[in-house]
Amino acid sequence: MAKALAHMLCLSLALLQIGCGGSSNVKIAADFPALLTQPRDLKAAVVLGSEFSSFVATPNKNVTIDIGSGQKAVWENSFAGLISDVTFVESIDLIGGPKDLVVVPSVRDVQVSVPSENYLSVYEVWIKYNIDIIADDGSKIDQWFMPVYGKTSLSAFGKDKAIRSAAETALRDVGAKLSLDFFRIPAIQRYLDNRIPEDNP
């Protein structure tokens, strides 16, 4: 019995050390697949500014996650699968020609939870986006709040790899959310429904 208690104590201390010990500096690679969807016959511009494309999250004093290149890649791949004629620019001023939609994502918040905080053997990452959706005349169609989530079991990874894996899973969730929900946003549906009769009498 004493040996079993000692073993449990050692395991608990090990988990605590893994969950809390040291700082983590994680970079997410730009390696995400394209969406396997039928793109809508629209013209759009997606504005991925320098701040977005080089974004480094510091969810707490011990964790830094460089998600910039990774999220740039996943947003490009996602909208390339959603819209047939899409261009990616660094600012609204660089958009050339009329577009049905202009999409401007920004990072609202990034949060991390480690085993010592959630009392589970998992690392969790939340990325929360605001998405401004703008008509070609500059009027705002909607601002959509889109949170994404990823988690990784503690057992398979060290701390840095676990946080990286959870963040990559959260970024893959971007593609899933956009493919399922973007054209279901009521304001976008109304806007496109009102345009279609004009373009296709």
Side-chain angles (χ1 to χ4, degrees), residues 5-172:
L5 288 172
H7 177 73
M8 290 178 63
L9 179 60
C10 288
L11 180 61
S12 298
L13 288 172
L15 290 174
L16 185 61
Q17 289 176 344
I18 294 172
C20 298
S23 298
S24 289
N25 296 290
V26 175
K27 182 177 178 63
I28 308 302
D31 183 20
F32 294 91
L35 293 184
L36 299 176
T37 58
Q38 182 63 41
R40 296 280 291 269
D41 187 18
L42 297 168
K43 291 183 179 181
V46 180
V47 181
L48 304 176
S50 57
E51 181 178 350
F52 186 87
S53 300
S54 60
F55 188 87
V56 178
T58 52
N60 61 53
K61 64 180 181 180
N62 295 319
V63 176
T64 299
I65 312 174
D66 183 344
I67 62 172
S69 60
Q71 71 179 1
K72 181 176 184 287
V74 78
W75 281 80
E76 288 177 342
N77 290 348
S78 296
F79 272 95
L82 285 173
I83 294 172
S84 61
D85 186 349
V86 59
T87 58
F88 301 95
V89 296
E90 289 191 1
S91 76
I92 289 180
D93 297 336
L94 297 176
I95 297 172
K99 305 295 180 185
D100 298 303
L101 295 169
V102 176
V103 179
V104 188
S106 60
V107 180
R108 177 172 170 175
D109 192 22
V110 176
Q111 296 176 330
V112 170
S113 178
V114 301
S116 61
E117 297 170 344
N118 59 27
Y119 305 103
L120 302 170
S121 296
V122 295
Y123 286 84
E124 299 172 295
V125 172
W126 293 263
I127 307 173
K128 300 175 182 179
Y129 292 100
N130 282 333
I131 308 170
D132 288 327
I133 304 155
I134 303 168
D136 189 52
D137 63 3
S139 60
K140 183 174 288 189
I141 300 169
D142 199 6
Q143 184 180 77
W144 186 36
F145 172 66
M146 188 183 80
V148 295
Y149 170 75
K151 72 175 180 179
T152 299
S153 171
L154 174 68
S155 59
F157 300 99
K159 183 178 180 180
D160 285 5
K161 288 184 178 180
I163 292 174
R164 182 182 299 112
S165 178
E168 289 173 350
T169 301
L171 288 176
R172 291 189 189 96

Side-chain angles (χ1 to χ4, degrees), residues 40 42 100 188-201:
R40 296 280 291 269
L42 297 168
D100 298 303
I188 293 181
Q189 287 183 328
R190 289 192 298 270
Y191 172 73
L192 294 177
D193 287 345
N194 289 334
R195 286 178 64 86
I196 289 172
E198 298 175 6
D199 299 335
N200 299 288

